[in-house]
Amino acid sequence: HHPHGDLASLSLVVYDMITIPMGAFNLPANLFLVFMEWTTRIFWTLDMGMSSVTGCTLKDGSVQLEFRYIIWRYVKTWFALDVFIVASDWMEFAGAGGT
């Protein structure tokens, strides 16, 4: 993991925790909200790709960089949740007529 990526992830999770519940109030669209919507959508989509190629540290302290191991570990851990969240975000975009 990269410190900048971790900081960006944390910031966007906090942003989502605040703004997603506010969606119940039908906030008027403005440039900032549209920008952040696209920023989070693209960030989390790219993060899925990064998660599938980022090595991991094993319990014994060694670093595993084998692609097949990384993919299998990702599929067993975060993949289903990531697909659900990212796909729902893109479906929301498609359902809104691409705006």
Side-chain angles (χ1 to χ4, degrees):
H1 288 220
H2 300 280
H4 294 96
D6 290 342
L7 183 59
S9 294
L10 176 62
S11 299
L12 291 176
V13 166
V14 170
Y15 174 81
D16 284 344
M17 288 173 57
I18 294 168
T19 58
I20 289 173
M22 292 175 64
F25 299 106
N26 292 327
L27 299 174
N30 63 55
L31 184 59
F32 176 76
L33 291 178
V34 171
F35 173 79
M36 288 304 295
E37 185 175 298
W38 275 101
T39 298
T40 58
R41 180 178 292 132
I42 291 169
F43 179 87
W44 293 122
T45 301
L46 294 175
D47 186 63
M48 283 186 68
M50 290 300 297
S51 294
S52 65
V53 297
T54 301
C56 59
T57 304
L58 303 177
K59 291 179 183 178
D60 66 2
S62 64
V63 177
Q64 178 58 262
L65 299 173
E66 182 187 350
F67 183 70
R68 289 176 62 189
Y69 179 87
I70 295 166
I71 289 290
W72 181 241
R73 184 171 188 264
Y74 179 50
V75 166
K76 290 190 318 184
T77 56
W78 291 99
F79 182 74
L81 180 63
D82 286 352
V83 166
F84 175 75
I85 292 169
V86 170
S88 65
D89 199 17
W90 282 105
M91 286 188 287
E92 177 187 19
F93 166 72
T99 58

